[in-house]
C-alpha cells in the first residue's frame, strides 16, 4: 500500500479533489432545472435544497481542506481556502433566505426570480470552480 497518500501533501491533494465534488455536482445538477418550470413549488423546493446542500458542503469541506493544508505546512493556501469557505457560507446566508421568501409568497415573478437566483448560483459556482482548478498547478507544482 502506498503510504504517501496519507502524508500531508497527499492529504491536501485529496482535500482539494473532495472539495471540488460538490462544485462539480452543482454544476451538472443545476442545469437540470432548465428542463422544468421553476414556478412549480416542488421544483422550487428542490432548487432550494440543492443550493443549501451545495453551499453547506463547500463550507464544511473547505474547512477540512484548511486543516489539511495547515497540516501540510501551506498556510497561504489554507488562508485562501478559508476565504472560499467563508464566501460559501455568506452566499448561503444570502441565497437561501431569498429563495425561501420567493417560495413563501409565490406570484407572477416567482419563476423569473428563481431563475435569476439559479443563474447567480451557477455563475458563483463557475467562478469558484475556475479558481480551484486554476490554483492546482500553483499549489502542486510537481503534479
Amino acid at each position: 500500500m502506498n503510504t504517501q497518500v496519507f502524508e500531508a501533501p497527499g492529504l491536501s491533494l485529496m482535500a482539494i479533489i473532495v472539495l471540488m465534488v460538490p462544485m462539480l455536482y452543482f454544476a451538472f445538477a443545476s442545469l437540470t432545472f432548465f428542463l422544468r418550470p421553476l414556478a412549480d413549488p416542488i421544483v422550487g423546493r428542490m432548487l432550494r435544497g440543492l443550493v443549501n446542500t451545495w453551499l453547506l458542503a463547500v463550507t464544511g469541506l473547505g474547512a477540512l481542506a484548511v486543516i489539511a493544508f495547515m497540516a501540510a505546512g501551506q498556510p497561504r493556501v489554507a488562508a485562501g481556502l478559508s476565504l472560499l469557505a467563508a464566501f460559501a457560507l455568506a452566499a448561503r446566508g444570502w441565497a437561501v433566505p431569498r429563495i425561501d421568501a420567493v417560495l413563501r409568497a409565490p406570484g407572477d415573478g416567482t419563476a423569473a426570480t428563481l431563475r435569476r437566483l439559479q443563474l447567480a448560483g451557477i455563475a458563483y459556482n463557475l467562478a469558484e470552480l475556475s479558481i480551484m482548478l486554476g490554483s492546482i498547478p500553483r499549489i502542486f507544482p510537481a503534479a
Side-chain angles (χ1 to χ4, degrees):
M1 180 173 185
N2 188 356
T3 59
Q4 289 179 344
V5 172
F6 298 107
E7 294 174 4
L11 286 175
S12 57
L13 180 60
M14 285 190 328
I16 289 290
I17 292 168
V18 168
L19 180 57
M20 285 192 293
V21 168
M23 294 177 199
L24 291 169
Y25 179 77
F26 180 79
F28 290 113
S30 63
L31 297 176
T32 62
F33 287 94
F34 287 112
L35 303 175
R36 298 284 302 167
L38 288 177
D40 183 358
I42 294 173
V43 176
R45 286 194 303 268
M46 288 176 61
L47 178 64
R48 185 227 187 261
L50 176 67
V51 169
N52 186 43
T53 304
W54 157 59
L55 291 171
L56 279 176
V58 170
T59 301
L61 293 172
L64 290 175
V66 167
I67 294 168
F69 276 96
M70 288 302 287
Q74 295 182 334
R76 289 175 41 193
V77 177
L81 288 171
S82 65
L83 283 174
L84 182 123
F87 280 127
L89 187 61
R92 181 182 175 273
W94 179 85
V96 172
R98 282 173 173 68
I99 294 172
D100 287 341
V102 170
L103 293 177
R104 272 194 304 272
D108 293 336
T110 299
T113 305
L114 287 176
R115 183 70 67 205
R116 279 193 303 274
L117 290 169
Q118 176 195 11
L119 292 174
I122 290 171
Y124 174 75
N125 187 51
L126 282 175
E128 196 176 54
L129 197 54
S130 298
I131 289 168
M132 292 292 295
L133 289 173
S135 66
I136 288 176
R138 293 179 185 264
I139 296 170
F140 306 103

